């Protein structure tokens, strides 16, 4: 018999009890920044290889209720799979936010919240979304405080698969309006869906972790809503949520009366380039060292004269990768990020592409890198630093150091730079109208009476013109035949509820048999399609331009 | 929707491959691979498992392996069919039907005309198998069949009518799934004992399902490794959800997620090539264990393969409860016989002063006053008292009415539990002892070292069929039940497994 109030039940009560009035200005502004960044990172992530595999897989499921896939004007997926693929998109390039203790908090929550919102009978307001989002973030923060082990860069389980799935369940439970008991069971069920080992970091399977956290958390909340039960003390037990930690001290969630958000006292870090957070210290320290080298009168050509590059970083096996063979490994390699920064004076999205990654100059430089792990350099995102020492053949040494990179919670991005990152990311997929619309909508989110506007803008894609039967066609039509069918059936699609934004999808030159066509046939070139143009425009059909 | 191709191994001593083409939408596109597989450049445990899963052929199945695995298939089907009548199964099925559009591909156990997409069918059928905790148990401890069979049947359902796997293909894939579970559990000493942290089917079951599906889909060695690595990221659920409705979800998920891992691997998705190998500082499969020593699994093409199921048979349950309950029930039943002898046919709580149970220490099956059927299935006390009262424990013992009997509550309040040092929490070494002190001071005791159904004292084929008839008969007509028995009996001779697939609803 339990005499004390169980931790798990206190969480259920808090998730159910928190309401809009609890959201503070600080929390709202921080969480809006996280949302904007997550959307941008997710949009650019829809262009990755791993995303397309996850999407094709998810398209083998169908549902009466459809939730939207970000950056796509097509019909959607079942809510759970929309949350899954959008979560994969967010983490596909390791470009999403990082919190302390270490996890990527937003990627597990926002895809679940948006996917679920779409299938609710009544559209939540912007403030409802913010509340559910923050409940999901908060639960992750609380759970991470249950173990000192969580303070350090992880070694066993990838945190988003542990706390992220719980956060997604909590956020989904909030949005579904579950009772305290149902919220408790949602967490209990989610605990049975949690936990993926770290070894799959630096592979295509790592982004799946985020997709699964979002999708399975949502599923746990829906199962609880249907009446399915788990262990209502799951957070209290070593054999419950405690299995994911070597030491575990759960504590109750304060009653909603005296509630204080973890996000108020601990902000998140926002990445400037798509790689593991630890790489950001390395890149900045490398640039500092290179600046020293430049000041010493050495020109770029002198890179040939480098004898060695020493990186002093914290010990962490999975981000110490001397010769990365794939983009995923490159995103988890101290050495690669230092060399990229040295060669290009910056690390960007392009740094991880095949062309730059496989440069002989980079390979050559990689062979000169040594990694040292000083005792005072802790594998914790709150304490770590990076020293870079460039030693020349002549014996001269140039040193750079980074204690806090730009984007870290101690040195947050300006609003302008945050929006700049979003614009750069989102514009790879959306029209400028979609991009600016989202910036606006998120900026004023707490005032929005209908959150569906966000969804609408996430559909304002710019398609590239595609012709013939080449791989290009497959790329342009990567979402399969249903898209084409949609284009056929609805020359004008998606009118927003009362807004003045329209999305037009236009096709030309399609053969008659197309409605019965299958994607594979399209790709085979047997469809008789000569070419497809799709354009996105605003307001007046007469202004339509074909790209 | 995609046009898909599917391959599977043919029944042949040569690794001849035939290509399946399917019009269904859930199948992956596979690249046909060469007959001779290139060895991986570096010998890792993970790569050896990939080659094993890909390379094992029907010729490796020995008569004992065939016979034992057919018994497991039959029992798993019966338990699953009965499980399709439970509340938790109903919830899982409703969830799938509400969340997803109808997808008429793979059959749901015991529901005529109800079909779902393959992964969802694997999920609900897996839930059915474990819904009453009635499915088989292996040593080291896991429930091996429930994670594998629903996934294989669901995959078979999605293959085109003229390209169904043969019965032997199914048995091969099934045995791959079982074997992988057994091998993985031998990587840890901790796995030998009744678990405390992770529920084993959620760990090794997911891997077994991935391996079995990868074999049935004829993935190449590298894809098989990736299937295991992806499955590792989908594995693992904590023990605390035992004795709740979420425990059956563990088997449903193992079945479904293992299949997902194999399907994703077949699309070319990649994961860590070292997932099974022990790498310090970056946990792979060893994240689920406190001690871990992986060994490669090599397939010698000439020598054949020695399956674990040959040396370690399975335990079949006689009633739907945790395996540990079977020892105390047999011990208590022998005391019941004595009591009935003394008191001419009836047992009443008023005769009893104290009931002492000597059982292993295992927190999650030590429940003095279970409140629901799921807790009752995980309570030494409940099962001992039921057997004392009734002389046996059956499916009916776990109905709400039976659980709430005042007589039973009276007995439960007299139970004391001891954990002798020589009684470890291990299905190979544990025993159950029941000692009843009567009002007059007389002491009656019973002990069980090996219950009927344990691998040291296996059910006869007749008993196994009796259990199957009773389970399957709860949802299927008599004729269909007999047809199923026959189909499983002749499974290795079935050229096409359709007759089996058709009888499940």
């Amino acid at each position: 018999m339990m005499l004390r109030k169980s931790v798990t039940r206190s969480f259920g009560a808090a998730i159910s009890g928190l309401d809009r009035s609890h959201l503070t200005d600080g929390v709202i502004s921080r969480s809006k920044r996280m949302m904007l960044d997550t959307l941008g990172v997710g949009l650019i992530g829809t262009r990755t290889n791993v995303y397309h595999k996850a999407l094709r897989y998810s398209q083998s499921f169908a549902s009466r209720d459809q939730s939207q896939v970000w950056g796509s004007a097509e019909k959607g997926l079942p809510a759970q799979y929309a949350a899954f693929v959008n979560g994969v998109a967010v983490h596909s390039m390791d470009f999403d936010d990082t919190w302390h203790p270490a996890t990527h908090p937003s990627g597990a929550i926002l895809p679940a919240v948006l996917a679920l919102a779409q299938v609710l009978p009544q559209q939540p307001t912007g403030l409802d979304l913010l509340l559910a989002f923050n409940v999901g973030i908060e639960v992750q923060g609380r759970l991470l405080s249950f173990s000192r082990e969580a303070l350090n860069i992880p070694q066993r389980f990838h945190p988003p698969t542990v706390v992220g799935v719980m956060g997604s369940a909590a956020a989904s439970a909030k949005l579904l309006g579950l009772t305290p008991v149902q919220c408790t069971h949602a967490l209990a069920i989610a605990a049975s869906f949690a936990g993926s080992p770290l070894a799959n970091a630096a592979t295509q399977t790592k982004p799946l972790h985020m997709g699964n956290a979002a999708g399975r958390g949502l599923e746990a909340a829906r199962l609880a809503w249907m009446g399915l039960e788990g262990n209502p003390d799951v957070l209290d037990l070593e054999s419950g949520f405690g299995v994911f930690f070597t030491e575990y001290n759960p504590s109750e969630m304060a009653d909603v009366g005296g509630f204080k958000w973890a996000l108020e006292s601990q902000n998140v870090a926002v990445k400037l380039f798509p790689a593991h957070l630890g790489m950001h210290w390395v890149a900045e320290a490398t640039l500092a060292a290179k600046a020293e080298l430049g000041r010493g009168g050495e020109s770029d050509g002198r890179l040939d004269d480098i004898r060695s590059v020493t990186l002093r970083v914290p010990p962490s096996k999975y981000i110490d990768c001397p010769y990365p063979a794939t983009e995923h490994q490159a995103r988890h390699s101290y050495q690669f990020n230092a060399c990229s920064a040295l060669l290009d004076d910056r690390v960007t999205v392009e740094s991880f592409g095949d062309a730059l990654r496989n440069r002989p100059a980079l390979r050559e430089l990689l062979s000169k890198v040594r990694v040292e792990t000083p005792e005072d350099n802790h594998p914790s995102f709150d304490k770590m630093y990076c020293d870079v020492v460039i030693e020349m053949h002549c014996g001269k040494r140039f040193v750079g150091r980074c204690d806090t990179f730009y984007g870290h919670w101690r040195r947050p991005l300006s609003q302008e730079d945050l929006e700049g990152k979003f614009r750069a990311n989102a514009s790879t997929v959306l029209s400028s109208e979609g991009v600016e619309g989202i910036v606006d909508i998120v900026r004023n989110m707490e005032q929005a009476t209908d959150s569906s506007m966000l969804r609408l803008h996430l559909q304002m894609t710019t398609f590239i013109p595609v012709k013939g039967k080449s791989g290009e066609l497959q790329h342009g039509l990567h979402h399969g035949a249903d898209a084409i069918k949609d284009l056929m059936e609805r020359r004008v699609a998606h009118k927003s509820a009362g807004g003045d934004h329209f999305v037009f999808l236009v096709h030309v030159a399609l053969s008659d048999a197309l409605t019965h066509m299958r994607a594979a046939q399209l790709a085979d070139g047997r469809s008789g399609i000569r070419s497809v143009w799709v354009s996105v425009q605003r307001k007046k059909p007469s202004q339509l331009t074909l790209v | 929707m995609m046009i898909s191709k599917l391959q599977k191994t043919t029944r042949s001593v040569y690794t001849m491959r035939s290509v399946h083409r399917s019009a269904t939408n859930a199948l992956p596109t596979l690249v046909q691979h060469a007959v001779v597989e290139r060895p991986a450049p570096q010998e890792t445990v993970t790569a050896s498992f990939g080659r094993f899963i890909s390379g094992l052929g029907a010729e490796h199945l020995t008569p004992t392996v065939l016979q034992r695995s057919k018994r497991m298939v039959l029992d798993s089907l019966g338990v699953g069919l009965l499980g399709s009548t439970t509340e938790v199964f109903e919830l899982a099925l409703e969830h799938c039907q509400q969340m997803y559009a109808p997808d008429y591909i793979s059959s749901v156990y015991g529901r005529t005309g109800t079909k779902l997409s393959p992964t969802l069918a694997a999920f609900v059928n897996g839930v059915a198998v474990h819904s009453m905790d009635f499915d088989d148990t292996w040593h080291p401890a896991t429930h091996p069949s429930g994670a594998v069979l629903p996934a294989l049947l669901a995959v078979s359902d999605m293959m085109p009518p003229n390209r169904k796997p043969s019965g032997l293909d199914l048995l091969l894939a099934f045995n791959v799934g079982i074997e992988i579970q057994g091998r993985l559990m031998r990587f840890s000493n901790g796995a030998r004992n009744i678990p405390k942290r992770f529920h084993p089917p959620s760990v090794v079951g997911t891997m077994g399902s991935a391996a079995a599906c990868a074999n049935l889909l004829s993935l190449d060695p590298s894809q098989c490794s990736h299937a295991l690595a992806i499955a590792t990221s989908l594995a693992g659920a904590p023990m605390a959800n035992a004795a709740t409705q979420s425990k059956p979800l563990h088997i449903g998920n193992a079945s479904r997620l293992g299949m997902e891992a194999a399907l994703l691997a077949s699309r070319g998705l990649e994961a860590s090539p070292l997932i099974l190998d022990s790498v310090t500082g970056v946990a792979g499969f060893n994240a689920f264990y406190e001690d871990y020593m992986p060994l490669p699994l090599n397939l010698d093409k000439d020598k054949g393969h020695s399956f674990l199921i040959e040396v370690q048979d399975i335990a079949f349950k006689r009633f739907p409860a945790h395996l540990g309950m079977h020892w105390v029930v047999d011990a208590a039943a022998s005391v019941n016989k004595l009591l009935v002898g003394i008191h001419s046919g009836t047992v009443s709580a008023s005769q009893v002063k104290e009931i002492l149970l000597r059982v292993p220490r295992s927190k999650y099956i030590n429940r003095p006053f279970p409140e629901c059927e799921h807790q009752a299935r995980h309570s030494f006390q409940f099962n001992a008292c039921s057997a004392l009262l009734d002389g046996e424990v059956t499916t009916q013992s776990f109905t709400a009415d039976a659980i709430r009997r005042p007589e039973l509550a009276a007995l439960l309040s007299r139970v004391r539990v001891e954990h002798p040092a020589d009684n470890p929490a291990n299905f190979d070494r544990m025993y159950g002892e029941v000692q009843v002190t009567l009002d007059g001071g007389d002491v009656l005791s019973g002990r069980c070292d090996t219950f009927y159904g344990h691998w040291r004292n296996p059910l006869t084929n007749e008993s196994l069929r009796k259990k199957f008839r009773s389970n399957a008969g709860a949802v299927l007509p008599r004729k269909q039940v007999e047809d199923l028995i026959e189909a499983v009996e002749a499974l290795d001779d079935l050229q096409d497994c359709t007759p089996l697939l058709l009888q499940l609803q």
Side-chain angles (χ1 to χ4, degrees), chain A residues 81-369:
Chain A
Y81 283 91
F84 171 70
V85 296
N86 292 332
V88 170
V90 170
H91 203 51
S92 57
M93 302 167 83
D94 226 304
F95 209 178
D96 49 332
D97 54 15
T98 306
W99 209 10
H100 180 71
T103 196
H104 306 288
S106 304
I109 309 300
L110 193 58
V113 166
L114 292 185
L116 187 56
Q118 191 165 356
V119 297
L120 292 179
Q122 202 171 7
Q123 281 306 297
T125 65
L127 207 52
D128 291 335
L129 279 192
L130 277 166
L131 176 63
F133 179 82
N134 274 295
V135 165
I137 300 294
E138 181 68 17
V139 163
Q140 296 182 72
R142 297 282 166 156
L143 294 176
L144 284 167
S145 74
F146 288 180
S147 173
R148 267 173 308 168
E149 188 188 353
L151 290 171
N152 297 329
I153 300 179
Q155 297 199 3
R156 288 172 72 236
F157 290 100
H158 188 208
T161 67
V162 178
V163 296
V165 66
M166 305 293 276
S168 166
S172 304
K174 183 77 227 168
L175 210 53
L176 285 168
L178 300 193
T179 66
V181 173
Q182 288 172 323
C183 289
T184 303
H185 285 298
L187 291 178
I189 298 166
S192 272
F193 293 175
S196 307
L198 203 63
N200 276 334
T203 75
Q204 287 188 330
T205 298
K206 191 186 182 199
L208 294 197
H209 290 177
M210 193 61 78
N212 279 329
R216 295 164 88 181
L218 192 160
E219 188 176 28
R222 290 194 56 154
L223 285 165
W225 173 67
M226 294 184 70
L228 200 110
E229 296 179 350
N231 187 329
D233 294 318
V234 78
L235 297 182
D236 298 71
L237 299 168
E238 292 273 337
S239 65
F241 196 66
V243 298
F244 301 112
F245 302 94
T246 47
E247 46 94 31
Y248 184 69
N249 294 296
S251 56
E252 282 169 34
M253 188 94 115
D255 288 338
V256 291
F259 191 80
K260 194 158 181 342
W261 300 89
L263 189 58
E264 293 242 36
S265 47
Q266 174 65 57
N267 202 353
V268 297
V270 176
K271 293 175 178 177
L272 276 173
F273 57 90
H276 185 273
L277 198 70
M279 307 305 124
H280 290 67
W281 279 269
V282 174
E284 235 179 65
T286 305
L287 291 178
K290 191 174 178 189
E292 283 300 306
L293 187 148
R295 268 192 281 282
E298 322 285 338
S299 70
D300 272 1
R302 297 291 308 276
L303 288 180
D304 289 343
D305 296 337
I306 292 176
R307 175 189 289 158
S308 72
V309 178
T310 305
L311 310 179
R312 296 198 187 110
V313 289
S316 176
K317 191 116 183 187
Y318 81 108
I319 44 179
D320 178 359
C321 180
Y323 297 102
T326 66
E327 70 165 90
H328 295 275
Q329 288 180 4
R331 300 185 200 283
H332 295 78
S333 164
Y334 286 133
Q335 294 88 340
F336 175 86
N337 286 275
C339 293
S340 289
L342 209 46
L343 282 176
D344 306 330
D345 296 309
R346 59 193 178 147
V347 182
T348 65
V349 171
E350 287 73 32
S351 306
F352 300 91
D354 287 346
L356 291 186
R357 224 178 55 235
N358 298 327
R359 280 176 288 179
L362 190 102
R363 296 269 138 198
E364 159 87 22
L365 206 49
L366 278 174
S367 67
K368 297 176 177 174
V369 178

Side-chain angles (χ1 to χ4, degrees), chain A residues 53 57 61-63 80 155-156 188 191-197 199-200 204-205 209 212 216 219 222 229 231 239 243, chain B residues 94-95 99-101 119 197 229 233-236 238-241 245-246 250 253 257 260 268 270-272 280 283-284 287:
Chain A
K53 287 176 183 166
Y57 174 73
F61 298 91
S63 165
Q80 187 196 338
Q155 297 199 3
R156 288 172 72 236
S192 272
F193 293 175
S196 307
N200 276 334
Q204 287 188 330
T205 298
H209 290 177
N212 279 329
R216 295 164 88 181
E219 188 176 28
R222 290 194 56 154
E229 296 179 350
N231 187 329
S239 65
V243 298
Chain B
E94 262 176 48
H95 169 73
M99 288 264 297
Y100 303 94
T119 56
R197 294 171 67 239
S233 270
L234 305 173
M239 277 309 292
N241 274 336
Q245 288 184 331
S246 290
H250 294 177
N253 273 334
L257 298 171
E260 285 203 36
E270 294 181 351
S272 167
T280 36

